[in-house]
Amino acid sequence: MTAIKPNNIDEYIAGFPKDVQKKLNQIRASIKKAAPEALETISYSIPAFKFNGRALVYFAGYKNHIGLYPVPTQNAEFNKDFAAYKTSGKGAIQFSLEQPIPLDLITKIVTFRLQENSTFEKNKSRKKNLPVKRA
């Protein structure tokens, strides 16, 4: 990757070798397919997708892997899915550049994150409509 900060996801991906570009584009397409209303952006100098004004997922290329963030590493529903990959307790997963990208897993993660964002928005709007407690 180039040291120049990208202005958009196309510029970000263009900074990688062709084989890595292909994998990054596959991830991007999977995210767009799972969340067609999400907005593409660059955040923290890496590709990001936002939904309802909140971060949905980020992805980034590295020398030996591609990272996807945040992922539900603490959710038991994903334990089996994540077993073959390096993950962190902070919600990251790494996909080796030597292996095919698990596009179905990425779709599952994005779908889960869409539900999380929707739940957050519903709870946020409920809080706004609660009566104010006066002392």
Side-chain angles (χ1 to χ4, degrees):
M1 186 180 110
T2 62
I4 299 170
K5 288 189 176 187
N7 293 310
N8 57 51
I9 294 178
D10 289 327
E11 285 182 13
Y12 180 87
I13 291 173
F16 287 88
K18 294 289 184 198
D19 59 328
V20 179
Q21 287 181 26
K22 182 179 177 183
K23 290 178 184 270
L24 292 168
N25 277 316
Q26 288 174 331
I27 291 171
R28 180 186 192 183
S30 291
I31 295 168
K32 288 170 78 168
K33 185 176 179 182
E37 295 169 11
L39 300 176
E40 289 189 344
T41 188
I42 294 290
S43 183
Y44 302 105
S45 298
I46 62 173
F49 283 79
K50 293 187 176 187
F51 183 73
N52 287 337
R54 294 181 42 85
L56 184 63
V57 291
Y58 300 81
F59 65 96
Y62 297 94
K63 185 177 179 180
N64 298 312
H65 72 277
I66 295 172
L68 183 72
Y69 328 88
V71 297
T73 55
Q74 304 301 318
N75 186 315
E77 178 183 333
F78 286 88
N79 287 348
K80 186 176 177 183
D81 297 319
F82 292 168
Y85 306 99
K86 183 175 180 182
T87 59
S88 78
K90 293 184 178 184
I93 190 167
Q94 295 180 2
F95 305 118
S96 170
L97 293 176
E98 302 299 318
Q99 301 294 323
I101 300 296
L103 301 176
D104 289 342
L105 177 56
I106 291 170
T107 298
K108 184 176 178 179
I109 291 166
V110 172
T111 301
F112 180 85
R113 292 283 300 137
L114 282 168
Q115 290 174 321
E116 280 188 326
N117 275 13
S118 295
T119 299
F120 177 85
E121 287 301 315
K122 286 177 191 172
N123 289 339
K124 187 171 138 182
S125 65
R126 266 192 222 127
K127 286 180 183 177
K128 285 182 181 178
N129 294 327
L130 289 175
V132 176
K133 292 183 180 181
R134 308 243 183 225

